[in-house]
Amino acid sequence: MEKTKKIKLFVGLSYLLIVSLFLYFFFSKFSLQEITSYDFLRNNRSYLIELKNSNLFLVSISFLFLTVLWVFPFLGFGSPVALMGGFIFGKWIGTLVVVTGLSVGATFLYIFGNYFLKDLIREKFLNKFQNLEIKFKKSEFFYLLVYRFIGGVPWQISCLLPTLFNVRVKNFLFATFLGIIPQIFLAVSIGSGIEKVIDQNSEVPGIMDIIFSPDIYVPLLAFFVLIVFSIIFRKKFYRN
């Protein structure tokens, strides 16, 4: 027991150190004002697109690896990665790379939680989500797939909650991969649309020009419909 506590303490401190070092080096190189400016986005867009076109495989593998790191150990969520993936790779390749990276990162987070955080998760969430245990016992993969598709739980917590039900790692990985495809595809499509808008405008476009671009408003509308559908369905899923 004492050895396990020491291991958990070491892992926790290591995690905080890694995150702190990353944030320090990142913001020592770029200011928040700089990375949110239109010129920064436009100039780096050209660089990223040229880099992708010159070596698609290497850039894809690098982005996939960084996506895994974004989820674990940095506990990042999917939207920023999806937008960036669409911005760099376009809809189809971007979806494949982002979904793969998020799924692998989420699986690492699940394994980590299952080993180090299981008692804490049971204490905090078991009473609230105990009704899901019956569903997961009926068909683990199917209900994991539904659980991933409808969302409704913050990304980091959604990766850890299945530790309550001792789901198999293989089922967690593939259910996550398939379940997040719809929302990630739409977010990636928005990122791809933003890249096209920036490419077509040397000056900062107006907000209405961005919103009414077909590459933006079509996936936005689809994303809104998906959210409404998910909200309706998740009430039944989590309550019954």
Side-chain angles (χ1 to χ4, degrees):
M1 182 65 71
E2 188 65 29
K3 185 177 180 181
T4 302
K5 287 183 178 179
K6 289 181 179 179
I7 293 174
K8 291 180 179 180
L9 179 62
F10 173 77
V11 172
L13 292 174
S14 299
Y15 168 76
L16 291 175
L17 178 62
I18 292 171
V19 173
S20 300
L21 286 174
F22 172 80
L23 293 174
Y24 172 77
F25 285 113
F26 182 82
F27 285 106
S28 64
K29 187 172 180 61
F30 303 108
S31 67
L32 185 62
Q33 182 178 3
E34 183 182 9
I35 63 176
T36 54
S37 70
Y38 186 77
D39 289 338
F40 181 87
L41 292 174
R42 182 169 176 79
N43 294 336
N44 283 278
R45 172 212 163 268
S46 301
Y47 171 74
L48 291 171
I49 298 302
E50 289 175 9
L51 187 64
K52 179 202 71 172
N53 290 337
S54 64
N55 199 329
L56 177 60
F57 178 77
L58 181 60
V59 174
S60 300
I61 293 298
S62 299
F63 190 89
L64 192 153
F65 177 73
L66 291 173
T67 301
V68 173
L69 288 180
W70 171 251
V71 178
F72 181 77
F74 293 111
L75 299 181
F77 53 98
S79 300
V81 175
L83 292 172
M84 182 60 70
F87 191 91
I88 298 173
F89 299 103
K91 289 186 290 189
W92 304 108
I93 297 177
T95 298
L96 177 61
V97 174
V98 172
V99 167
T100 302
L102 290 176
S103 300
V104 173
T107 303
F108 284 147
L109 184 55
Y110 168 71
I111 294 171
F112 175 84
N114 209 26
Y115 186 76
F116 291 105
L117 305 174
K118 197 167 188 175
D119 293 338
L120 177 63
I121 295 167
R122 290 184 69 85
E123 179 185 337
K124 296 293 184 182
F125 298 107
L126 183 59
N127 290 336
K128 185 176 181 180
F129 294 99
Q130 196 166 19
N131 60 316
L132 294 181
E133 188 172 8
I134 299 173
K135 291 184 167 86
F136 278 89
K137 285 182 178 178
K138 285 181 181 178
S139 178
E140 186 176 276
F141 179 81
F142 173 76
Y143 283 104
L144 265 173
L145 184 63
V146 175
Y147 167 78
R148 275 312 200 181
F149 174 74
I150 63 174
V153 179
W155 171 260
Q156 298 87 347
I157 297 176
S158 73
C159 296
L160 297 171
L161 280 181
T163 61
L164 296 173
F165 317 117
N166 295 314
V167 302
R168 284 172 286 187
V169 173
K170 180 178 68 174
N171 284 341
F172 182 91
L173 173 62
F174 288 108
T176 298
F177 183 91
L178 296 174
I180 66 175
I181 285 176
Q183 61 264 39
I184 293 301
F185 174 73
L186 294 176
V188 167
S189 298
I190 294 171
S192 178
I194 292 173
E195 185 273 323
K196 291 180 181 178
V197 169
I198 291 176
D199 181 42
Q200 295 166 1
N201 293 271
S202 56
E203 301 295 330
V204 183
I207 186 65
M208 301 307 293
D209 295 328
I210 297 174
I211 292 176
F212 285 103
S213 168
D215 293 307
I216 300 294
Y217 75 74
V218 171
L220 270 178
L221 288 174
F223 197 73
F224 176 75
V225 171
L226 181 65
I227 289 174
V228 173
F229 175 79
S230 299
I231 291 173
I232 295 171
F233 193 79
R234 76 175 59 132
K235 289 181 179 179
K236 180 178 177 63
F237 180 77
Y238 287 118
R239 288 181 183 177
N240 295 336

